[in-house]
Amino acid sequence: MKKLINDPESVVAESLAGLGAAHPDLLRVFEDPRYVLRADAPRPGKVALVSGGGSGHEPMHTGFVGLGMLDAACPGEVFTSPTPDQVLAATKAANGGAGVVHIVKNYTGDVMNFEMAADLVAEDGISVNQILIDDDVAVEDSLYTAGRRGVGATVLVEKLCGAAAEAGAPLAEVVSLGKRVNEASASMGVALSSCTVPAAAKPTFELADDEMELGIGIHGEPGRERVSLRPAREVVDMLVQPVLDDLALGRGDSVIVFVNGMGATPLSELYLVFNDLRARLGTEGIAISRCLVGPYMTALEMAGCSITLLRSDDQLVSLWDAPVRTAGLRWGA
Amino acid sequence: MKKLINDPESVVAESLAGLGAAHPDLLRVFEDPRYVLRADAPRPGKVALVSGGGSGHEPMHTGFVGLGMLDAACPGEVFTSPTPDQVLAATKAANGGAGVVHIVKNYTGDVMNFEMAADLVAEDGISVNQILIDDDVAVEDSLYTAGRRGVGATVLVEKLCGAAAEAGAPLAEVVSLGKRVNEASASMGVALSSCTVPAAAKPTFELADDEMELGIGIHGEPGRERVSLRPAREVVDMLVQPVLDDLALGRGDSVIVFVNGMGATPLSELYLVFNDLRARLGTEGIAISRCLVGPYMTALEMAGCSITLLRSDDQLVSLWDAPVRTAGLRWGA
């Protein structure tokens, strides 16, 4: 295992300490229980957005804490759900009295622990609503999931709901927006290589030199099938077809596009993938209203990418363009 | 070779086409000769900054074209210098009548081709000054260099000179600033794995499972020595000691810190490295005025990182904080 770490047991704590030291203007890092809080939280009267999940997907979620996105994030150990006490502490700390939204990727442990925390804070009179993200069209059930997995749409929901909450939208509106964005999003990913969880010290799975895993999960969970290596434009077609089908997208529609890097794939390849994707969408008569290209929801040092499409409209584009100022995503602020 | 590409011959063109399509608000991509131009260039009366070099280091340089940074970038083939006609065309297109600055990393081919282009535009009455970047303390001469290589300081010079030019500084001042930043910067990197140039189709070098290459270049050129894997804090000490020595930094000094990812190393590890680095600098009594942590000057999918320190002062901090709006670096705009 070749990693720039000191001890597999302390990678999350040490990395978060670095994040906190690098961005004191944006966020504060708490340990025991562990969570990351927006520097100016709680914001009285603002709906608070709290997310979290296993570590190893950085910048998601800790890198999305800040103006126009999350109020708090709960990082679990690598590829491990955060505990209820982390979510509880983050929820209380982020609460500004206008309600809290939990943005939860659909993995069994995440869902259970966020719900347990929501039940506990309800006793304190804090209203919590959950937005469950399940945009991955690759598989119906999965190694860690009943139902579809939550992947790329998470980043879009956090950005768009973050903008709405920043603009003063009430709890019900933020929740309804998040659910709408999740339903209007679909994703699929591909891996060209595995990743290695520090505590496991060996690759999560093996892929032959001429193989890719299509429909991969962000923890290396199996996807739809193993196929032979092929040109990027064929990979793009294999990823985007199920997404187009799922959303019933066609001529005249417009989409927000997210080409996500899994970690080790160079940015140049992600732009190349975006280039093939826009050609394909052009052929379909689908317009691209906005796009995001880069490694925003990674799987440690996995090579590969995912494609997320979100059916867009004027409201979503306007929320997309709103200022965001986080360690991982920043514009207009 | 596992890459998301269509054809090794066209990776740069296809990737740039994607970049251009993703960021029409920031930049325009030209082919034949190939360069990337700021969307609103030329800007009359503004000193124009032009950089470039081999591709494969993205987001550097093409991702740094935009407000507060570069006016144009000339991407060569992967790990290959841009040709004089690329630099010539970019220089002419970026020229706003107040002079042009070439920011050139010290590699023999880059230096020669930028100088040839500068001679050619001089015939058209365009004043070109060069800032040569040679901040890598790892080796004195190298596979592709007479003298030290240009690495991480390039990003800092492009940011800081970009801010000065944006604020209306005249040519001589921008050039003098760039030279000062280069002289006040030093860098050293480490590789945990090789990368594979698409046209070569095999790894640039081999590293055993328990080895790292200390003092690596951003094209996989040999560094100072191969050493066994060790904890991140020891790696940080081995990287930062020659940097501290070179700049004669000590108690009471302050620095701008750049922890750069080489490509495949997860962001979480880069923040962990930053955490060890700030501990070490704290021990030395050196303050961190600003920091940048992330994969900004990559070597395709190489695993590893580099550390750059720049002796800072109020002027540099103020230029650092000035707005920047590029595909690869963005704040305050």
Side-chain angles (χ1 to χ4, degrees), chain B residues 107-180:
Chain B
Y107 298 96
T108 308
D110 290 26
V111 173
M112 190 173 67
N113 292 352
F114 270 91
E115 285 182 353
M116 208 176 293
D119 288 345
L120 290 169
V121 292
E123 295 168 11
D124 293 335
I126 302 175
S127 304
V128 173
N129 278 242
Q130 188 189 78
I131 300 169
L132 188 68
I133 312 295
D134 61 350
D135 57 311
D136 189 342
V137 299
V139 290
E140 189 46 46
D141 294 303
S142 163
L143 202 52
Y144 308 117
T145 335
R148 306 195 328 187
R149 300 174 298 214
V151 289
T154 316
V155 178
L156 308 183
V157 167
E158 292 179 3
K159 169 68 186 85
L160 297 165
C161 287
E166 201 70 52
L171 181 62
E173 201 175 297
V174 174
V175 172
S176 141
L177 171 72
K179 290 182 174 175
R180 178 163 85 83

Side-chain angles (χ1 to χ4, degrees), chain B residues 270-282:
Chain B
L270 299 179
Y271 277 113
L272 189 151
V273 164
F274 176 72
N275 192 47
D276 286 329
L277 177 57
R278 78 184 173 102
R280 172 64 194 270
L281 293 177

Side-chain angles (χ1 to χ4, degrees), chain A:
Chain A
M1 176 173 63
K2 290 184 129 174
K3 291 182 183 291
L4 288 166
I5 63 175
N6 291 304
D7 177 348
E9 298 301 310
S10 60
V11 288
V12 175
E14 291 180 53
S15 176
L16 286 172
L19 181 79
H23 305 289
D25 54 324
L26 299 176
L27 53 85
R28 282 174 291 163
V29 174
F30 293 84
E31 287 286 336
D32 197 22
R34 180 179 291 156
Y35 63 98
V36 175
L37 187 68
R38 185 171 153 172
D40 57 358
R43 312 243 314 159
K46 177 186 171 292
V47 171
L49 268 57
V50 177
S51 190
S55 293
H57 307 299
E58 289 71 23
M60 183 179 83
H61 300 272
T62 52
F64 297 147
V65 171
L67 182 144
M69 224 161 160
L70 298 178
D71 293 272
C74 308
E77 289 300 318
V78 176
F79 293 1
T80 301
S81 301
T83 57
D85 67 314
Q86 289 180 258
V87 180
L88 178 65
T91 302
K92 284 183 172 178
N95 174 43
V100 179
V101 178
H102 284 173
I103 299 173
V104 184
K105 301 193 300 303
N106 188 32
Y107 297 96
T108 308
D110 290 27
V111 172
M112 191 173 68
N113 292 352
F114 269 92
E115 285 181 352
M116 207 175 292
D119 288 346
L120 290 168
V121 291
E123 295 168 11
D124 293 335
I126 302 175
S127 305
V128 173
N129 277 244
Q130 187 189 80
I131 300 169
L132 188 69
I133 312 294
D134 62 350
D135 58 310
D136 190 341
V137 299
V139 290
E140 189 45 48
D141 294 304
S142 162
L143 201 53
Y144 308 117
T145 336
R148 305 194 330 184
R149 298 174 299 213
V151 288
T154 315
V155 179
L156 307 183
V157 167
E158 292 179 2
K159 169 68 186 84
L160 297 165
C161 288
E166 200 71 51
L171 182 62
E173 201 175 298
V174 174
V175 173
S176 144
L177 171 72
K179 291 182 174 175
R180 178 163 86 81
V181 170
N182 177 59
E183 280 162 23
S185 297
S187 301
M188 191 148 135
V190 64
L192 274 65
S193 74
S194 180
C195 53
T196 298
V197 174
K202 61 181 176 51
T204 304
F205 59 98
E206 297 289 343
L207 268 178
D209 282 348
D210 59 350
E211 277 184 334
M212 317 182 295
E213 176 91 22
L214 204 72
I216 193 80
I218 55 172
H219 313 94
E221 317 90 287
R224 284 190 171 193
E225 54 176 334
R226 293 206 167 178
V227 298
S228 59
L229 278 183
R230 56 198 68 204
R233 68 175 64 89
E234 291 179 32
V235 176
V236 166
D237 283 336
M238 296 175 88
L239 293 179
V240 79
Q241 190 60 54
V243 169
L244 294 172
D245 292 346
D246 186 75
L247 297 175
L249 286 166
R251 194 159 297 278
D253 287 330
S254 76
V255 290
I256 293 176
V257 169
F258 175 26
V259 173
N260 174 61
M262 291 292 191
T265 287
L267 190 57
S268 52
E269 294 180 31
L270 300 179
Y271 277 112
L272 189 151
V273 164
F274 175 73
N275 192 48
D276 286 330
L277 177 57
R278 79 183 174 103
R280 171 64 193 269
L281 293 176
T283 304
E284 302 284 341
I286 299 168
I288 298 175
S289 58
R290 292 291 183 273
C291 68
L292 183 67
V293 180
Y296 293 102
M297 180 200 61
T298 59
L300 294 167
E301 71 286 354
M302 185 187 282
C305 73
S306 63
I307 289 174
T308 301
L309 299 185
L310 161 60
R311 183 189 291 274
S312 82
D313 58 30
D314 289 348
Q315 185 202 6
L316 298 185
V317 168
S318 162
L319 290 167
W320 186 259
D321 289 344
V324 59
R325 193 162 79 95
T326 69
L329 204 66
R330 189 185 291 226
W331 55 75

Side-chain angles (χ1 to χ4, degrees), chain B:
Chain B
M1 175 173 61
K2 290 184 131 176
K3 290 182 183 291
L4 289 166
I5 63 174
N6 292 303
D7 178 347
E9 298 302 311
S10 60
V11 289
V12 175
E14 292 181 52
S15 177
L16 285 173
L19 180 79
H23 304 290
D25 54 323
L26 299 176
L27 52 85
R28 283 174 290 164
V29 174
F30 294 84
E31 287 286 337
D32 198 22
R34 180 177 291 155
Y35 63 98
V36 175
L37 187 68
R38 186 170 154 173
D40 57 359
R43 312 245 313 158
K46 176 185 169 297
V47 171
L49 268 57
V50 177
S51 191
S55 292
H57 307 299
E58 290 72 23
M60 182 179 84
H61 299 270
T62 53
F64 297 148
V65 171
L67 183 144
M69 223 162 160
L70 298 179
D71 293 87
C74 307
E77 290 300 317
V78 176
F79 293 1
T80 302
S81 302
T83 57
D85 66 316
Q86 290 180 260
V87 180
L88 178 65
T91 302
K92 284 183 174 179
N95 174 42
V100 179
V101 177
H102 284 175
I103 300 174
V104 184
K105 303 193 298 303
N106 188 33
Y107 298 96
T108 308
D110 290 26
V111 173
M112 190 173 67
N113 292 352
F114 270 91
E115 285 182 353
M116 208 176 293
D119 288 345
L120 290 169
V121 292
E123 295 168 11
D124 293 335
I126 302 175
S127 304
V128 173
N129 278 242
Q130 188 189 78
I131 300 169
L132 188 68
I133 312 295
D134 61 350
D135 57 311
D136 189 342
V137 299
V139 290
E140 189 46 46
D141 294 303
S142 163
L143 202 52
Y144 308 117
T145 335
R148 306 195 328 187
R149 300 174 298 214
V151 289
T154 316
V155 178
L156 308 183
V157 167
E158 292 179 3
K159 169 68 186 85
L160 297 165
C161 287
E166 201 70 52
L171 181 62
E173 201 175 297
V174 174
V175 172
S176 141
L177 171 72
K179 290 182 174 175
R180 178 163 85 83
V181 170
N182 177 60
E183 279 163 24
S185 297
S187 300
M188 190 148 135
V190 64
L192 274 65
S193 74
S194 180
C195 53
T196 298
V197 174
K202 60 182 177 51
T204 304
F205 60 96
E206 298 289 342
L207 267 178
D209 282 349
D210 60 349
E211 276 183 337
M212 318 182 297
E213 175 91 23
L214 204 72
I216 193 80
I218 56 173
H219 313 94
E221 316 91 287
R224 284 191 172 192
E225 54 177 332
R226 294 207 166 176
V227 298
S228 60
L229 278 183
R230 57 197 68 203
R233 71 174 63 90
E234 290 178 33
V235 176
V236 165
D237 282 337
M238 296 175 88
L239 293 179
V240 79
Q241 190 60 56
V243 170
L244 294 172
D245 292 345
D246 186 74
L247 297 175
L249 285 166
R251 195 158 297 278
D253 287 330
S254 75
V255 290
I256 293 177
V257 170
F258 175 26
V259 174
N260 174 60
M262 290 293 189
T265 287
L267 191 56
S268 51
E269 293 179 32
L270 299 179
Y271 277 113
L272 189 151
V273 164
F274 176 72
N275 192 47
D276 286 329
L277 177 57
R278 78 184 173 102
R280 172 64 194 270
L281 293 177
T283 305
E284 303 285 340
I286 298 168
I288 298 175
S289 58
R290 291 293 182 272
C291 68
L292 182 68
V293 180
Y296 293 100
M297 179 200 62
T298 60
L300 294 168
E301 71 286 354
M302 185 187 282
C305 74
S306 63
I307 289 174
T308 301
L309 299 184
L310 162 60
R311 183 189 292 272
S312 82
D313 57 31
D314 290 348
Q315 184 202 6
L316 297 186
V317 168
S318 164
L319 291 168
W320 185 259
D321 289 345
V324 59
R325 193 162 80 93
T326 69
L329 204 67
R330 190 185 288 227
W331 55 73

